[in-house]
Amino acid sequence: MKDEEVRRSPLFYVGDKYKLITEIKTFFPKQIKRFVEPFVGGGSVFLNVEAESYLLNDLDKNIIEIHQFLCSQNKEETHFFEDIFEVITHYGLSCSYKKDVVPLSLKQQYKKTYYAHFNKEGFTKLKNDYNASDRSNILWLYVLLIYGFNRMLRFNSKRDYNLPVGNIDFNKNVYSALVNYFSITKKRKIYWKSLDFRRFFEQEKFSKNDFIYFDPPYLITFSEYNKYWTAQEERDLLLILDNLSTKGISFAISNVTHYKNKENKKFIEWAKKYQLNPIKSNYISYHDNTIKDFNEVLVTNY
Ligand SMILES: C[S@@+](CC[C@H](N)C(=O)[O-])C[C@H]1O[C@@H](n2cnc3c(N)ncnc32)[C@H](O)[C@@H]1O
């Protein structure tokens, strides 16, 4: 697959595999019957992998709800775009995909942050409306994701969405990522789940027809979704992987073995049983985008 053909997920997920998928895929089997991802996140991997069917899971219910919502729209593309542009217009948000509406004076005053200034009021109104609602409007949630800080989703203890406005809007990248997502998913058989990976492996049955790609949170790096990933989760995951191998089921798992002065010794030791393939990483930490000293790997059992 050439770089320009890589499909970007319209969820623009922090820590996604968009930039690494071309390299990672070179290690994947050439023919895949069922492609399974227990940690699907934004979906950059499954979007770029051909298989007969897909079983995709993530603990984050909001992410899965957005995927399911977008999949439900994949045959109604025109309606979807009418609806999303109506929300954008209703809340007075900029939409550079359609038209540049930000006044020159604002651009001159806030050279790098004019979108955030322009959209702050409408975004806050949408956020308040969403939080006051029964949270069933997934289109609103998706618009919050697109216009919110770092294109992330975060909720407080009351389950209120609580990120500030971001400095980006609905542009042509969002539009083409959505069009690609619709055209890919409408041709595919996809099953979605939202479970902790341990429950997922208890509930589902797996066979030699499956290829399972794991992209779990990394124990030694930082990200929103790493918060609840402890040595216990890591141990449970490695056990599941060993069990799969015993049953002759193929897997590949991404991970980071070294990060700044930290080392994931347990993972490195465990990986000795399998093939450890170095990946030319370009991981950008959410907290410090200058950090470059880490090793990303892909471990395969085939
Ligand atoms: C590194 S991200 C996956 C990124 C994905 N490969 C992509 O390209 O967007 C790890 C994912 O694991 C999910 N996760 C964290 N803990 C989990 C758990 N216990 N069970 C299942 N998923 C979990 C997070 O919500 C996050 O989406």
Side-chain angles (χ1 to χ4, degrees):
M1 185 191 285
K2 286 192 224 118
D3 251 5
E4 61 268 25
E5 288 168 16
V6 175
R7 292 118 176 200
R8 178 128 221 210
S9 158
L11 278 78
F12 302 96
Y13 212 55
V14 174
D16 69 15
K17 283 284 173 281
Y18 171 65
K19 293 204 172 122
L20 297 180
I21 182 63
T22 309
E23 188 180 355
I24 286 176
K25 257 186 70 167
T26 61
F27 296 98
F28 283 7
K30 296 291 161 267
Q31 298 285 329
I32 302 172
K33 266 190 176 285
R34 186 170 71 155
F35 182 67
V36 182
E37 271 197 82
F39 305 91
V40 69
S44 295
V45 178
F46 93 85
L47 285 172
N48 291 289
V49 169
E50 296 304 322
E52 286 176 26
S53 69
Y54 299 78
L55 175 61
L56 309 171
N57 175 73
D58 199 285
L59 180 63
D60 188 332
K61 289 208 165 23
N62 293 298
I63 292 298
I64 294 300
E65 275 179 7
I66 292 179
H67 278 298
Q68 287 180 310
F69 170 68
L70 293 178
C71 284
S72 76
Q73 304 289 301
N74 60 21
K75 295 191 177 80
E76 316 275 342
E77 197 175 308
T78 315
H79 280 140
F80 171 84
F81 284 115
E82 276 168 16
D83 290 350
I84 196 165
F85 292 140
E86 200 179 299
V87 175
I88 289 169
T89 308
H90 177 82
Y91 287 96
L93 300 167
S94 69
C95 179
S96 54
Y97 166 71
K98 282 194 147 181
K99 198 174 165 200
D100 181 6
V101 292
V102 182
L104 189 62
S105 57
L106 205 64
K107 289 185 178 170
Q108 283 166 342
Q109 198 181 351
Y110 303 104
K111 284 199 169 56
K112 292 190 172 149
T113 54
Y114 54 84
Y115 280 126
H117 281 88
F118 185 87
N119 289 322
K120 189 172 175 194
E121 198 182 319
F123 179 85
T124 307
K125 175 120 192 7
L126 171 61
K127 176 159 108 175
N128 293 340
D129 287 350
Y130 176 79
N131 287 336
S133 75
D134 64 1
R135 324 285 163 93
S136 62
N137 191 331
I138 310 297
L139 182 62
W140 279 4
L141 185 62
Y142 182 68
V143 175
L144 286 172
L145 183 151
I146 292 302
Y147 286 81
F149 178 73
N150 263 5
R151 291 207 166 134
M152 286 164 45
L153 291 179
R154 198 172 63 198
F155 299 84
N156 63 18
S157 53
K158 286 189 281 168
R159 292 206 59 242
D160 284 345
Y161 169 92
N162 74 345
L163 282 173
V165 67
N167 191 35
I168 195 156
D169 73 351
F170 189 112
N171 54 26
K172 63 176 184 349
N173 293 338
V174 179
Y175 181 80
S176 51
L178 282 164
V179 169
N180 277 333
Y181 188 96
F182 292 146
S183 86
I184 294 161
T185 56
K186 77 175 157 205
K187 287 182 263 166
R188 292 183 175 177
K189 247 190 264 170
I190 305 176
Y191 303 92
W192 297 98
K193 289 272 164 187
S194 182
L195 296 168
D196 173 77
F197 69 95
R198 289 159 286 210
R199 290 275 295 141
F200 177 70
F201 279 95
E202 274 162 25
Q203 273 195 10
E204 299 296 319
K205 291 207 170 13
F206 298 92
S207 77
K208 288 182 183 163
N209 286 331
D210 294 322
F211 171 63
I212 314 182
Y213 170 67
F214 293 80
D215 189 20
Y218 306 146
L219 198 56
I220 56 171
T221 67
F222 301 97
S223 190
E224 253 324 274
Y225 47 66
N226 288 16
K227 276 195 296 202
Y228 307 107
W229 194 262
T230 69
Q232 183 61 52
E233 275 69 31
E234 187 98 348
R235 269 196 300 274
D236 293 345
L237 177 61
L238 300 185
L239 262 178
I240 288 173
L241 290 159
D242 287 340
N243 282 334
L244 291 170
S245 241
T246 312
K247 293 181 191 146
I249 299 169
S250 303
F251 69 70
I253 172 167
S254 287
N255 223 294
V256 169
T257 55
H258 297 81
Y259 176 71
K260 294 169 89 179
N261 51 0
K262 287 193 252 170
E263 198 182 1
N264 189 340
K265 287 204 179 86
K266 180 107 204 286
F267 186 87
I268 297 168
E269 202 46 45
W270 169 86
K272 285 183 180 157
K273 287 180 268 184
Y274 306 105
Q275 281 66 254
L276 187 129
N277 312 287
I279 298 292
K280 206 167 92 302
S281 186
N282 47 15
Y283 178 91
I284 295 182
S285 164
Y286 166 58
H287 294 276
D288 183 351
N289 63 11
T290 61
I291 293 169
K292 293 271 184 280
D293 52 341
F294 57 87
N295 287 347
E296 183 146 0
V297 298
L298 183 80
V299 175
T300 51
N301 71 337
Y302 46 91

